[in-house]
């Protein structure tokens, strides 16, 4: 009797509440007849492109939309607004529930018994669905998924990448410039057709596609005509089909990629993916792979300030101004052009990452310093210059900010 059981074991009531709230789905029970005969013959899907990361701004916006609608508020403004919100128990309950759900989801995706191929990786829902579909497939099953491709280039995703190379049959990578998906136009994703793992990798691949018709027609193309690239002669995104858009990725191709990206000790199947637009570009890449590697130069690099975490730590804050000295300049990507760190500057409105204006290089004065969207907070962080980091030199460590740098 359920009632007597819940009375004897009160913790079961909590289990029942959690189960009802989360809507757990049990594949083996709901599709018992399918798994009894070996699994699914065909699985098609578009899994969530979501990382279970805690976003306090998103959670707080459920209580006060200001946290999503305010245009680049400063950290003190956010702290003051947050204090006024979290003064009641209802706000606390919503925040605790939101954080708890996200942390629990990340913990599930990080479970090695449940998702062994995701071990030590940053949790991502689409990766969990990939592993789920593979384990649910029949011996002759086919899986076709559309999802992001971070596991092909992320160092720690080697276990998932290794298995994907052996299971892939078709790999078509798209760039969202035509906005076929309602996400940012630079987002890259792929259509992936998987089956049971082979002994060695062998799959058809095409990259830098903008429309699915391009790859469909390329499969039937006779190989005539000029090779397409990223843009055509009219400066439009190149959608022309061509047989040589499609390359075969096998052990030979992986060896070329490894010689460019990895150390020789890296297992072949752990090699990160290299994207080439056609077979001619792939051939050039193979020649480059035989050249000396840049790492032999012993260069040192810095990723600069992190726009999210270092701002939260208080090293700088949102603020528009023309700094009076270069020591107070924090450069962003749009500042940088060919041979100049002042090709553009942000507008005072700072609405989004395209709210910038080109600088007239011929009209600007000799002492010109571009406008910036961030400003250092040295009063709050006396260690500002030290925290930016040091490089090694024959005479000892030197501050990175004191050196000339190449922006890549």
């Amino acid at each position: 009797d359920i009632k007597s059981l819940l009375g004897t074991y009160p913790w079961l009531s909590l289990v029942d509440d959690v189960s009802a709230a989360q809507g757990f789905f049990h594949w083996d029970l709901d599709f018992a007849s399918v798994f009894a005969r070996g699994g699914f013959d065909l699985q098609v899907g578009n899994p969530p492109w979501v990382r279970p990361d805690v976003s306090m701004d998103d959670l707080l916006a459920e209580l006060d939309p200001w946290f999503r609608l305010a245009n680049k508020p400063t950290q003190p403004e956010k702290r003051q607004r947050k204090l006024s919100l979290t003064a009641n128990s209802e706000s606390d309950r919503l925040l605790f529930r939101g954080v708890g759900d996200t942390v629990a989801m990340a913990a599930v995706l990080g479970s090695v018994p449940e998702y062994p191929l995701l071990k030590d990786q940053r949790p991502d829902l689409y990766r969990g669905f990939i592993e789920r579909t593979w384990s649910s497939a029949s011996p002759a099953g086919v899986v076709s998924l559309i999802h992001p491709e971070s596991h092909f280039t992320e160092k720690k995703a080697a276990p998932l990448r290794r298995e994907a190379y052996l299971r892939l049959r078709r790999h078509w990578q798209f760039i969202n410039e035509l906005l076929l998906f309602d996400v940012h136009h630079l987002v890259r994703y792929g259509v992936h057709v998987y089956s049971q793992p082979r002994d060695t990798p062998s799959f058809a691949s095409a990259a830098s596609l903008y429309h699915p018709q391009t790859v469909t027609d390329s499969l039937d193309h006779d190989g005539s005509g000029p090779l397409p690239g990223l843009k055509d002669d009219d400066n439009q995104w190149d959608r022309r089909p061509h047989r040589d858009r499609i390359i075969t990725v096998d052990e030979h191709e992986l060896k070329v990629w490894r010689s460019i990206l990895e150390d020789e000790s890296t297992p072949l199947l752990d090699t990160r993916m290299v994207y080439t637009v056609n077979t001619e570009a792939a051939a050039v890449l193979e020649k480059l792979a035989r050249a000396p590697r840049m790492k032999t130069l012993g260069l040192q690099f810095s990723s600069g300030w992190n726009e999210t975490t270092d701002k939260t730590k208080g090293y700088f804050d949102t603020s528009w101004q023309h700094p009076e000295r270069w020591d107070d300049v924090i450069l962003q990507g749009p500042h940088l052009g060919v041979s100049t760190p002042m090709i553009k500057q942000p507008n005072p409105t700072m609405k989004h990452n395209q709210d910038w204006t080109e600088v007239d290089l011929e009209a600007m004065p000799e002492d010109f310093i571009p406008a910036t969207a961030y400003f250092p907070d040295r009063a709050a962080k006396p260690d500002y210059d030290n925290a930016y980091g040091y490089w090694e030199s024959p005479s000892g460590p030197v501050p990175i900010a004191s050196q000339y740098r190449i922006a890549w």
Side-chain angles (χ1 to χ4, degrees):
D1 178 70
I2 298 297
K3 287 184 178 180
S4 62
L5 195 64
L6 293 176
T8 306
Y9 304 103
W11 55 268
L12 278 176
S13 297
L14 181 59
V15 172
D16 192 46
D17 292 342
V18 172
S19 179
Q22 297 297 328
F24 294 125
F25 187 80
H26 300 279
W27 289 84
D28 292 346
L29 296 178
D30 285 278
F31 290 102
S33 59
V34 174
F35 289 109
R37 59 180 182 80
F40 290 95
D41 296 324
L42 176 64
Q43 298 173 85
V44 180
N46 176 12
W49 305 3
V50 177
R51 292 187 187 274
D53 295 332
V54 175
S55 171
M56 293 304 295
D57 284 351
D58 287 343
L59 291 172
L60 290 167
E62 294 292 321
L63 302 166
D64 183 354
W66 179 88
F67 283 92
R68 294 303 297 169
L69 300 178
N71 182 30
K72 298 187 182 298
T74 64
Q75 295 301 304
E77 288 175 328
K78 292 173 72 171
R79 283 194 293 269
Q80 186 60 40
R81 195 92 176 193
K82 194 181 299 181
L83 283 174
S84 65
L85 269 184
T86 56
N88 65 78
S89 57
E90 184 58 37
S91 300
D92 288 345
R93 275 196 295 271
L94 186 144
L95 292 175
F96 292 152
R97 186 168 63 246
V99 171
D101 287 349
T102 306
V103 171
M105 176 67 74
V108 169
L109 290 172
S111 168
V112 175
E114 189 72 17
Y115 297 101
L117 298 179
L118 308 188
K119 184 177 183 292
D120 297 329
Q121 298 168 43
R122 184 180 171 190
D124 200 314
L125 278 167
Y126 90 83
R127 298 185 188 186
F129 272 90
I130 292 176
E131 189 161 357
R132 175 71 255 181
T133 58
W134 291 347
S135 63
S136 299
S138 69
V142 175
V143 178
S144 185
L145 300 175
I146 181 169
H147 56 64
E149 306 212 322
S150 59
H151 62 293
F152 286 132
T153 54
E154 186 180 299
K155 195 87 170 179
K156 289 185 177 181
L160 184 64
R161 180 164 58 250
R162 186 186 313 129
E163 189 73 12
Y165 283 155
L166 294 175
R167 290 178 176 272
L168 270 172
R169 302 295 187 268
R170 301 284 185 273
H171 165 246
W172 316 132
Q173 185 233 27
F174 293 89
I175 305 173
N176 197 42
E177 288 287 359
L178 301 181
L179 296 177
L180 302 184
F181 272 84
D182 188 19
V183 292
H184 193 276
H185 67 103
L186 292 178
V187 167
R188 295 167 186 255
Y189 56 89
V191 172
H192 311 79
V193 179
Y194 303 102
S195 192
Q196 292 301 318
R198 289 173 166 158
D199 294 332
T200 58
S202 180
F203 59 91
S205 177
S208 300
L209 301 166
Y210 301 100
H211 196 281
Q213 192 66 44
T214 302
V215 73
T216 301
D217 293 343
S218 294
L219 289 168
D220 297 325
H221 194 266
D222 61 6
S224 61
L227 291 179
L230 298 179
K231 286 198 171 185
D232 59 24
D233 295 338
D234 298 321
N235 202 35
Q236 301 298 312
W237 299 112
D238 200 337
R239 295 163 57 177
R240 292 174 296 170
H242 199 284
R243 183 179 64 192
D244 286 346
R245 275 187 178 272
I246 300 173
I247 66 172
T248 298
V249 177
D250 51 19
E251 287 189 336
H252 172 77
E253 195 69 20
L254 287 181
K255 288 177 182 177
V256 174
W257 295 353
R258 183 174 65 179
S259 68
I260 295 170
L261 290 181
E262 316 290 359
D263 296 323
E264 283 300 319
S265 60
T266 302
L268 188 62
L269 290 176
D270 290 1
T271 302
R272 287 169 290 172
M273 183 173 284
V274 177
Y275 297 92
T276 51
V277 69
N278 54 48
T279 55
E280 190 176 77
V284 172
L285 199 67
E286 189 167 353
K287 291 181 180 179
L288 288 174
R290 294 193 288 269
R293 299 186 63 169
M294 190 181 290
K295 65 179 292 185
T296 61
L297 298 176
L299 302 177
Q300 299 181 68
F301 70 93
S302 165
S303 58
W305 291 120
N306 184 291
E307 281 192 82
T308 302
T309 57
D310 288 326
K311 185 172 75 168
T312 302
K313 291 176 182 176
Y315 285 105
F316 56 89
D317 211 338
T318 301
S319 173
W320 185 92
Q321 63 279 304
H322 277 282
E324 295 182 358
R325 56 182 193 150
W326 276 100
D327 283 347
D328 291 332
V329 172
I330 296 180
L331 295 173
Q332 295 173 261
H335 277 111
L336 306 173
V338 177
S339 299
T340 174
M342 51 187 79
I343 199 74
K344 291 183 179 181
Q345 57 184 349
N347 298 323
T349 45
M350 298 192 301
K351 293 179 181 177
H352 45 69
N353 63 356
Q354 294 179 327
D355 192 12
W356 290 61
T357 300
E358 291 187 5
V359 176
D360 188 339
L361 299 178
E362 294 183 344
M364 71 183 190
E366 291 182 6
D367 60 351
F368 175 80
I369 294 179
T372 59
Y374 295 122
F375 197 76
D377 192 351
R378 287 187 171 85
K381 290 289 184 179
D383 66 333
Y384 178 89
D385 295 306
N386 290 332
Y388 197 71
Y390 287 82
W391 280 339
E392 293 300 323
S393 75
S395 57
V398 294
I400 293 174
S402 70
Q403 303 299 298
Y404 287 104
R405 281 153 286 166
I406 294 175
W408 194 285

